[in-house]
Amino acid sequence: LTDCIKVLEMSFSGRNQTFNATTLTNNGFYPNVSLGEFQKLHRVPSNIADDAVENQVSLAMGAVNLALEDTKAKAQWAATEYANLAAIDATDNGNRQRFYRAAVYYRAKAKLLKDFQTFNRRPVAENQATESDEIYKTLIAESRRAMNQLPGIATTINVELL
């Protein structure tokens, strides 16, 4: 982990939004993951503790790495001369690193949503809890979709009426 440096940016609300500049070091094959990028892209509120954000992104990174470890594509990539995902992307102008980060970020956001849900105990929270279960499922599905796109697996099915 690099040192945690705060970066200030103005949000649409007029309040300063603080983003964590920590980068989580990955295993060498998959790209490193930026907590600040995650916070910006997925609009993670600054009032969520940096430790909670870092923990969930780190857990998501491990889960995605583990899920991808046994894939046919990972075995094929390992058998080639490519040292990492960036090298594979460089040969065919691919977006594999982007898909990888999306898989991690969607999973981390889903888990943060579940964490946040446990802190809100007002009566209004009951409706939010049922909505958040659907959002959680959607975010996990997006994470899986991004993982499928890494090796080029189609994530949609086209049907024609004959």
Side-chain angles (χ1 to χ4, degrees):
L1 297 178
T2 60
D3 291 335
C4 181
I5 302 169
K6 296 291 184 174
V7 177
L8 287 177
E9 229 176 72
M10 189 66 78
S11 68
F12 287 115
S13 67
R15 295 186 212 136
N16 283 338
Q17 175 74 30
T18 305
F19 297 107
N20 190 327
T22 301
T23 297
L24 300 179
T25 304
N26 211 328
N27 63 8
F29 184 79
Y30 296 112
N32 296 337
V33 177
S34 164
L35 298 183
E37 180 183 52
F38 167 65
Q39 289 173 311
K40 287 177 194 175
L41 291 176
H42 291 277
R43 300 175 52 195
V44 177
S46 61
N47 65 335
I48 296 179
D50 285 344
D51 289 344
V53 172
E54 183 176 336
N55 182 55
Q56 290 301 350
V57 173
S58 180
L59 290 172
M61 187 170 68
V64 169
N65 287 359
L66 187 62
L68 292 171
E69 194 61 36
D70 294 331
T71 63
K72 183 178 178 181
K74 176 70 162 90
Q76 288 172 340
W77 294 333
T80 65
E81 70 276 3
Y82 301 117
N84 54 40
L85 207 55
I88 297 168
D89 272 357
T91 62
D92 63 4
N93 296 321
N95 287 315
R96 290 176 189 87
Q97 293 179 90
R98 186 174 300 187
F99 291 137
Y100 174 82
R101 286 189 184 98
V104 171
Y105 293 161
Y106 279 123
R107 183 171 291 275
K109 186 171 182 175
K111 298 296 186 176
L112 274 175
L113 179 66
K114 283 291 190 186
D115 283 352
F116 186 73
Q117 178 182 331
T118 63
F119 296 122
N120 196 352
R121 295 287 185 206
R122 295 177 293 163
V124 175
E126 289 182 30
N127 187 34
Q128 290 174 344
T130 56
E131 288 176 5
S132 68
D133 286 342
E134 286 303 313
I135 295 169
Y136 175 83
K137 290 175 186 174
T138 300
L139 292 170
I140 293 295
E142 287 296 326
S143 177
R144 287 187 190 121
R145 193 170 293 118
M147 282 191 284
N148 285 339
Q149 288 174 319
L150 268 164
I153 297 171
T155 59
T156 58
I157 298 172
N158 295 327
V159 178
E160 284 186 33
L161 186 61
L162 298 176

